[in-house]
Amino acid sequence: MRSIASFFCLSKTKHLPGFETHALLASETAFNMNEIEALRIMFEQLSSSITDDGLIHKEEFLLALFNCSSKKNLLAERLFELFDRKCNGVIEFGEFVRSLSIFHPDAPEADKIAFAFRLYDLRQTGYIEREELKEMVLATLSESELSLSDDVVESIVDKTLQEADLKGDGKIDLEEWQELVAKYPSLIKNMTLPYLRELTLAFPGFVMETAVTDSELVC
């Protein structure tokens, strides 16, 4: 996976499709205005990597994650679907910031749990069913370049479902998922990206001169 630092470079401020002010995004996310400016510069780099239209297409999203726009990956494609909040096949800047905010260290844990649940709910039924759980286990193993026998994979899926399915209906709902995460917090470990707290510390050149301070924003 490519370093986040590789996406940063200086560029002129321009209004992106679906433009929303930094102040609005800062009031609705875990980012402050300077961090959003750094994210804007990153977004411009991502959104112009293949098609320079101010929008992140799926191929550009995959290129950012895997340095390959054609690689098939269930996790990456599901992430793209969740970032694409308007379900129109592209990610606008506001969607990018709001979705990344969930991965901020200061984001509410409840938001992280809910996002992870939606990630596993591949068919968007409001439940994680056995086949979806298996698909995600296989995708995670593939991403980690691990290989387990079919029997071991089936055993992992069965034991997870048995433990999580408190209502005994053969699927996991959000309430059961919350109980499972409470027991095994590591399930949402990847929902926190520490560097998102240090965007302007790592790249001090992106600190903006602004008449509006973060403390003055209305939440």
Side-chain angles (χ1 to χ4, degrees):
M1 191 173 290
R2 292 169 64 179
S3 168
I4 188 174
S6 66
F7 298 123
F8 283 88
C9 74
L10 294 176
S11 63
K12 293 183 179 179
T13 300
K14 63 181 180 181
H15 286 184
L16 300 165
F19 172 74
E20 297 179 80
T21 66
H22 286 23
L24 174 62
L25 292 172
S27 72
E28 296 181 357
T29 69
F31 298 112
N32 62 42
M33 290 179 62
N34 288 323
E35 291 167 338
I36 290 173
E37 173 62 7
L39 290 174
R40 180 193 64 79
I41 294 171
M42 183 205 301
F43 182 88
E44 288 187 2
Q45 293 301 299
L46 292 175
S47 64
S48 62
S49 59
I50 296 178
T51 303
D52 190 3
D53 59 358
L55 300 164
I56 296 179
H57 296 255
K58 182 181 288 188
E59 294 79 10
E60 292 170 321
F61 194 77
L62 294 176
L63 182 64
L65 291 179
F66 300 107
N67 198 26
C68 176
S69 62
S70 60
K71 181 177 180 178
K72 295 295 182 181
N73 183 285
L74 179 62
L75 289 170
E77 295 198 9
R78 186 67 186 127
L79 276 174
F80 179 86
E81 291 172 359
L82 293 179
F83 272 59
D84 176 19
R85 296 183 173 206
K86 295 182 180 178
C87 301
N88 58 358
V90 292
I91 300 172
E92 297 178 359
F93 180 58
E95 295 173 309
F96 180 71
V97 173
R98 288 185 174 88
S99 297
L100 267 186
S101 179
I102 295 170
F103 293 83
H104 194 285
D106 296 335
E109 184 178 86
D111 292 349
K112 298 177 184 292
I113 293 173
F115 190 95
F117 179 83
R118 294 173 60 208
L119 186 67
Y120 277 76
D121 180 15
L122 300 176
R123 294 163 185 78
Q124 303 175 53
T125 61
Y127 300 95
I128 301 173
E129 300 182 14
R130 188 187 190 284
E131 191 58 33
E132 293 172 319
L133 185 59
K134 180 179 178 180
E135 287 183 54
M136 290 300 285
V137 168
L138 290 172
T140 302
L141 290 172
S142 176
E143 171 67 12
S144 303
E145 297 183 346
L146 297 175
S147 179
L148 298 177
S149 69
D150 292 342
D151 288 344
V152 172
V153 171
E154 293 291 343
S155 177
I156 292 173
V157 173
D158 287 339
K159 288 180 179 178
T160 301
L161 190 60
Q162 181 180 8
E163 183 166 9
D165 180 20
L166 302 176
K167 298 174 183 176
D169 55 5
K171 53 192 176 184
I172 304 169
D173 62 22
L174 179 56
E175 183 180 358
E176 292 169 325
W177 175 253
Q178 291 168 335
E179 292 286 340
L180 188 66
V181 172
K183 191 172 183 179
Y184 302 106
S186 61
L187 286 171
I188 60 168
K189 180 180 178 180
N190 290 338
M191 294 300 303
T192 297
L193 302 177
Y195 65 73
L196 290 178
R197 181 185 276 142
E198 303 170 351
L199 288 172
T200 54
L201 292 178
F203 306 98
F206 296 123
V207 176
M208 299 184 299
E209 295 295 331
T210 174
V212 181
T213 63
D214 294 318
S215 61
E216 293 174 326
L217 297 177
V218 178
C219 297

